[in-house]
Amino acid sequence: MQTDLFDVTIIGGGPAGLYSAFYSGLRHMKTKLIDAHPSLGGKMHVYTEKTIWDVGGVPPIKGEALIKQLTDQALTFDPTVVLNEKVTVITRGKDETFTLTTASGQRHWTKAIIIAVGGGILHPKRLEAEATLTKPATNLYHTMPTLTQFKDKRVLISGGGNSAIDWARLLEPIAHEVTLTYRKETPTAHERSVKELLSSSVAVFPQHAITALKTDDETGVVENVSLTHVETDDATTISVDAVIVNHGYEKDTSLLDESDLALERINDFYLAGTAEGKTSLSGIYAAGDIISYPGKVNLIAGCFQDAVNAVNQAKMYTEPEADRFGMVSSHHQELKEKTQKASELNDDKEE
Ligand SMILES: Cc1cc2nc3c(=O)[nH]c(=O)nc-3n(C[C@H](O)[C@H](O)[C@H](O)COP(=O)(O)OP(=O)(O)OC[C@H]3O[C@@H](n4cnc5c(N)ncnc54)[C@H](O)[C@@H]3O)c2cc1C
């Protein structure tokens, strides 16, 4: 029985899903937003410390701050937000409404769907040596929350890609010492970054892998790390205060890979769609990195246009008489009232 039918349910709370949630609220749709992770923001959690320059009208901003701003905006019209739930199955009923089932067995009912799953659910790749830890290591990281927490620390970074190199260079002036290890002879990063890295004070262990983590029995803190040469097996032990592992991400794309829905895909991954946000199935729209159409831009800025289009399509699908486009902010009654309230609050503060 459909106990709680939503107008639109957005799967994925990255930039595309967040802006879709805002815009569907603006279009007076009863909205639900579901994400598999415990917090909203999507892929931006990979680069919370990076300064983002290319979002229109927003001054250079750290990833973490942009997540907050996008999330605040997404909650403007109080959508229902469901976190820690991975949608695994979508089925369409005889009455044309959809049922979404999650990995934990929850069911969610909706008239229309916006798929905004980006590159899927990202899980950081872990070291084999992590499997031997008896308790979670409190000083082992797979993303870098803040640079300052590594101030005056001895930091070991494992990884030879652009992010690992960037982290090493960012930490060099802050940490007591930075060591970088990677399996290849040379890092697979931009030539200029590698050049700058090699002329910096970062100690580099090419062709090495972390083979053991020695932890304090009581605290679980990693104190020493064994690095082994991938060809000669020569081992080196270094003392550390923190270890950062940047080996990329495993992508869980099971929803689309295993779904019975005949959604047309491109390169076995992306949803074949249109610039208006349509997929190959009516009632299911898409926005953000997951949709592919000629001219698609895989950037945060591209997510916003996708979201507006997907929401407008969902609106017209659920209410065929609805206007094709939503009202701009200045003509939107609820936003007018919110603006009025905000300016009254400001006046009160100034008095
Ligand atoms: C290192 C890096 C740096 C970048 N820098 C920039 C930059 O400077 N400027 C810029 O414009 N862009 C940048 N990008 C690109 C930008 O992050 C993406 O274009 C954007 O995040 C795409 O947003 P999205 O909402 O489509 O998907 P995502 O951000 O990938 O979000 C998808 C969400 O869907 C959830 N999800 C997936 N499957 C399910 C499921 N089955 N059930 C429930 N939830 C699910 C995931 O958990 C995730 O939260 C960068 C990307 C990377 C990797």
Side-chain angles (χ1 to χ4, degrees), residues 139-174:
N139 60 340
L140 192 149
Y141 306 87
H142 297 91
T143 55
M144 194 160 55
T146 55
L147 289 173
T148 46
Q149 78 187 86
F150 300 104
K151 188 167 163 26
D152 299 331
K153 300 263 168 79
R154 295 162 301 168
V155 185
L156 170 67
I157 301 172
S158 177
N162 279 310
S163 298
I165 308 300
D166 287 349
W167 288 359
R169 289 169 55 222
L170 285 170
L171 284 173
E172 189 207 4
I174 296 167

Side-chain angles (χ1 to χ4, degrees), residues 25-36:
L26 183 141
R27 296 227 58 187
H28 307 290
M29 299 178 82
K30 185 177 171 187
T31 302
K32 186 178 274 184
L33 175 63
I34 305 179
D35 200 290

Side-chain angles (χ1 to χ4, degrees), residues 11-17 34-37 41-44 46-47 50-55 85-88 116-122 163 252 255 287-290 298-301 303:
I11 309 173
I34 305 179
D35 200 290
H37 280 302
K43 211 177 285 157
M44 292 178 60
V46 172
Y47 52 95
K50 175 179 150 164
T51 302
I52 301 164
W53 285 78
D54 55 352
V55 179
E85 288 294 335
K86 167 180 152 182
V87 179
T88 49
V117 296
I121 305 161
L122 301 183
S163 298
D252 175 348
L255 169 65
D289 282 4
I290 188 61
N298 285 87
L299 285 174
I300 295 163
C303 291

Side-chain angles (χ1 to χ4, degrees), residues 6 8-14 16-22 31-35 40 71 74-75 79-83 108 114 116:
F6 279 71
V8 64
T9 297
I10 300 154
I11 309 173
L18 289 170
Y19 200 71
S20 298
F22 166 72
T31 302
K32 186 178 274 184
L33 175 63
I34 305 179
D35 200 290
L40 296 167
T71 303
L75 302 182
T80 296
V81 177
V82 179
L83 296 174
H108 301 268
I114 294 178

